[in-house]
Amino acid sequence: MTDRHGLQGGSVSKEAEPLLRSRSARVVLLVLAAVLTTGFLALGTWQVYRLQWKLALIERVEQRVHAAPVQAPGSDRWPQVTAASDEYRHVTVRGRLDYRASVLTQATTELGAGFWLLTPVRDEDGNNVFVNRGFVTAQTAARLREALADKEAGPVLSEPLAIDGLLRISEPGGGFLRENDPAADRWHSRDIAAIAQARGLTRVAPYFVDAAAATPVPADPLLQDAEPPVGGLTVIAFHNNHLVYALTWYALALMVVAAAAWMLRGRSGKAGRPTPSPR
C-alpha cells in the first residue's frame, strides 16, 4: 500500500529521493553560505574599526610632532612611557653629552646605508637619555670606532646644552632576521636597555630622542674633522590599508550571497521540472 507521501513499505519512493537530496543540498549550502558571509562581514567590520584607530593614531602623532617641545619625561615618569602615549612627542633633553658612551647602530636612510650615532645626555641627577644625533657614513663610523677603542681614555663631556627632537621607543631584540651582538658592539636596532648595559650605564631612560635637524650640537671631539651627524631624518609613516581590506572582505561576503542565491535558484528550477516518464 502506498500512502500520499510516496512511502511504500516504510521506505522512500524513487520519485521522492531526488527531492530529499535536493533539500539536503540546499540546507548545507545555506548553512555554509551563512557561515562564510558572517565571517567575511565580521572581518570587514573589524578592519573598519582598525581604520578608525589608525586614523586617530595618525592624527595624534601629527599633533605631537608639530607641537611646541616639552621637557622629556623624567625618571619618575619612565615606567609610564609608552608608544601609545608618548612616541613622536616633541621633547627637549638637557644635560651633557657623554661622547665616550656613544654607540653606532646600522641604518638605511635617504642618504644611503650607514649608521645612527647615539650618545647619552646626562643630567645633573645622573639620569641618562640616549639621543640619536643623526646619520653618519661608514667612513665616519670607522673613525669613531677607532677613538672609542681607546679604553684608557677618560670621559669626554660636552658643555651643558639642550637638544630638541622626537621621543622614540626602544627597539629591543634586533633587526629583521638579525640579532644585536653586544660583545662585538654590533647593533642592528636601537635597543636602549642592551646598549646601556653594554656601556655600563645605569639610570637610563627607556626611550631615545631623534635630534631635530635644526638643533645646534657642538662638534664631537672624537670625530675631529669628520663630517658631523645629519639629524632630522626621522621617517614617520603608517601603513594604512584597512579600507582596502574592509572592502575586500565585504566584497567576498557579497559574492558568497550572490553565488548561493544563483545555485539555489538553479536547483529550485531543476526540482520543479516534472520527471519524464519512460515510454
Side-chain angles (χ1 to χ4, degrees):
M1 179 177 180
T2 303
D3 61 15
R4 61 191 180 90
H5 295 291
L7 301 178
Q8 183 175 13
S11 62
V12 180
S13 66
K14 293 182 179 181
E15 292 80 0
E17 288 180 0
L19 180 60
L20 291 177
R21 285 199 299 269
S22 177
R23 288 177 178 175
S24 299
R26 286 201 297 271
V27 171
V28 172
L29 179 62
L30 285 173
V31 171
L32 180 60
V35 171
L36 290 175
T37 301
T38 302
F40 290 149
L41 289 175
L43 289 170
T45 302
W46 178 68
Q47 288 295 336
V48 171
Y49 286 124
R50 291 286 296 173
L51 173 63
Q52 295 172 347
W53 170 83
K54 184 63 66 68
L55 292 177
L57 172 62
I58 293 173
E59 182 179 359
R60 287 199 306 272
V61 169
E62 286 293 324
Q63 292 175 352
R64 292 173 187 173
V65 170
H66 296 101
V70 297
Q71 184 63 32
S75 57
D76 58 329
R77 272 206 57 212
W78 289 353
Q80 288 78 46
V81 173
T82 64
S85 61
D86 295 285
E87 187 153 35
Y88 298 110
R89 190 177 298 281
H90 198 182
V91 298
T92 300
V93 180
R94 290 181 171 84
R96 296 172 181 267
L97 286 164
D98 184 358
Y99 292 109
R100 287 208 168 274
S102 296
V103 65
L104 295 159
T105 65
Q106 289 195 346
T108 301
T109 72
E110 61 187 41
L111 301 179
F115 297 86
W116 297 122
L117 176 55
L118 274 68
T119 303
V121 173
R122 184 177 305 163
D123 65 16
E124 296 178 351
D125 298 325
N127 299 317
N128 295 278
V129 177
F130 270 93
V131 172
N132 176 15
R133 293 159 57 196
F135 173 84
V136 296
T137 63
Q139 293 78 8
T140 300
R143 183 174 299 182
L144 180 61
R145 283 197 177 97
E146 291 179 2
L148 294 176
D150 185 2
K151 301 302 182 182
E152 297 182 357
V156 180
L157 302 176
S158 72
E159 294 297 320
L161 48 71
I163 299 177
D164 290 343
L166 301 180
L167 187 150
R168 304 292 307 280
I169 301 300
S170 177
E171 303 167 345
F176 179 68
L177 298 178
R178 298 175 298 181
E179 293 295 326
N180 293 325
D181 187 357
D185 201 27
R186 186 176 297 112
W187 304 94
H188 300 284
S189 72
R190 292 164 287 192
D191 187 340
I192 297 303
I195 291 173
Q197 183 178 5
R199 290 295 185 266
L201 297 176
T202 58
R203 303 178 66 177
V204 178
Y207 59 85
F208 62 95
V209 174
D210 279 346
T215 298
V217 178
D220 189 331
L222 302 185
L223 293 179
Q224 297 179 1
D225 58 345
E227 293 185 5
V230 179
L233 297 180
T234 304
V235 176
I236 303 176
F238 297 95
H239 295 290
N240 188 12
N241 297 321
H242 299 297
L243 179 59
V244 175
Y245 295 152
L247 293 176
T248 299
W249 291 123
Y250 286 145
L252 288 173
L254 183 61
M255 291 171 61
V256 169
V257 172
W262 179 81
M263 294 182 68
L264 288 175
R265 185 171 61 250
R267 287 184 175 274
S268 298
K270 292 180 179 180
R273 296 174 186 172
T275 303
S277 58
R279 295 182 181 179

